[in-house]
Amino acid sequence: MDKFRWFMFNSIQRKHALPIFPVKSTKVLHHPKQFLEELKFQIRNSKKIVSIASLYIGTGSSEKDLVWELEQAVRNNIKLKLRIVVDKNRGTRPAPKTGASTASICSRLQGTFPGNVSVNFFEMPAAATVTNARSVVESLFPSRLNEVFRTFHLKIYAFDDNVIVTGANLSEDYFRNRQDRYFVLHCAPLARFYHMLVHNISEYSFKLVTSHGNEKEIDSKKSIPRLEMPKRSEMSSLASSIEILFHETNQQIAKNSPSQVIEMYTESTVVAPTLQMKALGIEYDENVTLQFLDYMVCANKQLQHGHRGKHQLRIASGYLNFTDAYIGSLAASDAQISVAVASLKANGFYGSPGLSGILPIAYKILEHRCWNKINSGRLKTSRNLLCILEYERRNWTFHGKGMWYAPKHSKFPSACLIGSPNYGWRSVDFDMESQVLI
């Protein structure tokens, strides 16, 4: 067993109680168009269940084609179950020109197959530290800027026994010229975990109301999509259901047969899913990310003098704003570290009208702050300064996020993190996030 797998089983599974699953096969996609085609392929080949959790589904032609694929999949297989969960604020916000929203383009899908399809809208709870005064101030902001405070940021695309792990949303630019990361994992237990997670969240979400047999898409210019109150509204119960999901998944792993245990230790790839929702006291993702970063420190301290700094850590974030805890871990490590970020023009908010148009500059200021804090600490222990690389490609934006660890003398990483978090304050303290340690 290599050192990092030993670290996963001893630190990640035992200390943080995260389930670890062996992966049957892995495929890496490189282009947004491949992402869209893979989504369609998985939808067409799903036999039992499709679970989708995303910030939103866009309203362009590509997104409507994707919804049509979902509709055809259910039409051709009446046993297929489809569950969708998106952010309530983003999923009901009308597009400026057309008035369409996630709710409106999914209305026909659910209206045609009400027994198979469930379209849900999750409203993020405020953290316990948010005062009433702040809540009032937040309510005064336009819906587009209100997302700054907290949002449902999961990206879960599970199809029977397969999962597409990515940080991409379901909209036109993510299918065309917005660079992200995409892993396709054939892993039945990981897929079951995410199917159950999406189901649990849907129980605490608003549900789209459609008339039975209504096969017409809602005209958002004439009517506002109606939402039904969640079946369950006590958020502490959601936290409990999530903790139970992790616990029961681990219990199931503990019952594995000897051959399954051997498979866990010998399969070329193993994965561990995380989840973050600090408002409900769920901090798996932050704890695992810190453990991942701290491993860089421990690994380098074990190297003999004269060979320090050979381990490599690569990080990507479309919106760089590390928390103090992450900054502390990066400053303490003398591994070779580089961070890929969006340039001004590759920031998704570049050229946006109104206040959102200043966000690219704001993130450059935050980026500079992180660089100064991390390198001021690294200068005390190492000559290797953290290097920031800016992604810039004509007419493209950058949304990639993740971490890669490569041991000394290796050209390729032996472990990585991939998912929805950007490793900033919002990801850790206010949003709901999930990623997979591979």
Side-chain angles (χ1 to χ4, degrees):
M1 184 189 303
D2 62 63
K3 290 183 178 179
F4 197 89
R5 188 168 300 207
W6 180 91
F7 158 74
M8 280 191 71
F9 284 111
N10 284 272
S11 295
I12 301 302
Q13 189 175 47
R14 295 179 184 176
K15 184 175 181 180
H16 299 297
L18 283 188
I20 297 178
F21 311 118
V23 177
K24 293 296 184 182
S25 67
T26 305
K27 179 168 65 173
V28 180
L29 309 179
H30 302 282
H31 196 282
K33 290 182 180 179
Q34 292 178 310
F35 174 48
L36 176 59
E37 291 308 310
E38 185 67 31
L39 286 167
K40 292 179 178 179
F41 173 82
Q42 293 294 340
I43 291 169
R44 292 166 187 165
N45 288 275
S46 294
K47 305 301 182 185
K48 298 178 181 178
I49 183 170
V50 173
S51 298
I52 293 174
S54 189
L55 177 60
Y56 66 104
I57 300 175
T59 59
S61 58
S62 294
E63 300 92 304
K64 289 183 178 180
D65 285 346
L66 195 65
V67 172
W68 183 85
E69 291 282 356
L70 291 168
E71 184 178 324
Q72 293 306 305
V74 180
R75 190 183 304 279
N76 295 332
N77 178 11
I78 202 62
K79 294 182 179 180
L80 183 66
K81 299 295 183 182
L82 166 63
R83 184 172 286 106
I84 298 172
V85 181
V86 297
D87 181 74
K88 179 175 177 287
N89 179 44
R90 189 65 180 270
T92 57
R93 191 178 79 199
K97 294 182 179 180
T98 65
S101 65
T102 302
S104 67
I105 72 163
C106 289
S107 59
R108 186 179 68 182
L109 174 63
Q110 182 176 287
T112 306
F113 305 102
N116 300 73
V117 179
S118 175
V119 181
N120 306 273
F121 301 82
F122 186 77
E123 185 172 44
M124 283 293 295
T129 55
V130 174
T131 63
N132 290 334
R134 173 172 168 169
S135 295
V136 172
V137 172
E138 289 179 6
S139 67
L140 299 176
F141 277 74
S143 60
R144 180 173 170 81
L145 291 179
N146 200 268
E147 294 170 20
V148 171
F149 301 111
R150 57 186 172 275
T151 191
F152 178 79
H153 203 242
L154 293 186
K155 280 79 170 146
I156 296 172
Y157 310 117
F159 311 86
D160 287 345
D161 294 341
N162 300 308
V163 180
I164 300 178
V165 186
T166 180
N169 292 303
L170 302 178
S171 67
E172 183 70 37
D173 48 349
Y174 290 93
F175 302 148
R176 186 182 67 250
N177 60 349
R178 190 151 170 74
Q179 187 63 60
D180 214 297
R181 299 174 65 206
Y182 330 87
F183 276 41
V184 185
L185 306 178
H186 178 55
C187 179
L190 178 67
R192 281 197 298 271
F193 175 86
Y194 276 132
H195 287 310
M196 285 302 302
L197 178 62
V198 174
H199 172 267
N200 288 353
I201 295 170
S202 71
E203 293 289 296
Y204 296 82
S205 302
F206 291 81
K207 185 173 182 178
L208 181 64
V209 176
T210 54
S211 300
H212 179 67
N214 176 20
E215 298 189 5
K216 292 185 178 181
E217 182 179 313
I218 292 174
D219 185 345
S220 295
K221 292 184 177 180
K222 297 180 180 179
S223 64
I224 299 174
R226 291 192 301 122
L227 301 182
E228 184 180 89
M229 291 295 291
K231 292 180 180 179
R232 307 178 69 178
S233 58
E234 186 58 50
M235 283 296 161
S236 60
S237 297
L238 172 58
S240 298
S241 73
I242 290 172
E243 295 291 355
I244 290 171
L245 173 60
F246 275 96
H247 177 69
E248 290 183 344
T249 304
N250 278 315
Q251 281 191 321
Q252 189 62 42
I253 292 174
K255 297 177 182 178
N256 282 348
S257 66
S259 62
Q260 289 174 314
V261 173
I262 293 173
E263 182 184 31
M264 181 80 75
Y265 283 88
T266 58
E267 193 69 64
S268 63
T269 305
V270 293
V271 297
T274 73
L275 190 68
Q276 184 77 9
M277 194 180 184
K278 188 168 280 191
L280 299 185
I282 299 169
E283 303 176 22
Y284 290 106
D285 187 71
E286 179 185 15
N287 292 334
V288 168
T289 303
L290 282 171
Q291 194 79 40
F292 183 88
L293 292 174
D294 288 342
Y295 178 80
M296 306 300 116
V297 180
C298 297
N300 280 283
K301 286 182 177 178
Q302 293 172 2
L303 295 178
Q304 295 180 355
H305 181 72
H307 294 278
R308 296 169 65 83
K310 297 298 183 181
H311 288 260
Q312 299 178 24
L313 177 64
R314 302 289 183 257
I315 304 174
S317 176
Y319 305 103
L320 184 61
N321 183 23
F322 288 132
T323 65
D324 287 343
Y326 292 163
I327 286 174
S329 291
L330 292 169
S333 171
D334 58 0
Q336 295 176 344
I337 304 176
S338 63
V339 183
V341 301
S343 68
L344 277 174
K345 292 182 179 180
N347 187 294
F349 291 97
Y350 182 78
S352 295
L355 291 175
S356 58
I358 68 172
L359 288 177
I361 296 175
Y363 274 110
K364 285 302 159 190
I365 295 172
L366 294 172
E367 177 187 306
H368 187 68
R369 164 188 167 274
C370 289
W371 187 89
N372 276 333
K373 281 194 170 186
I374 293 170
N375 282 333
S376 63
R378 291 173 65 80
L379 281 171
K380 299 174 183 178
T381 59
S382 170
R383 295 180 180 179
N384 296 319
L385 297 182
L386 177 142
C387 175
I388 290 182
L389 309 170
E390 289 193 344
Y391 176 99
E392 184 162 338
R393 182 179 179 184
R394 185 179 175 84
N395 297 324
W396 279 65
T397 56
F398 183 72
H399 198 252
K401 50 189 72 101
M403 296 187 182
W404 298 257
Y405 162 71
K408 62 175 181 176
H409 310 312
S410 174
K411 294 181 179 180
F412 305 103
S414 64
C416 73
L417 286 163
I418 176 174
S420 65
N422 280 295
Y423 311 115
W425 287 93
R426 265 188 53 183
S427 293
V428 171
D429 291 338
F430 304 115
D431 295 350
M432 184 186 285
E433 308 276 10
S434 178
Q435 59 181 343
V436 174
L437 173 59
I438 302 177

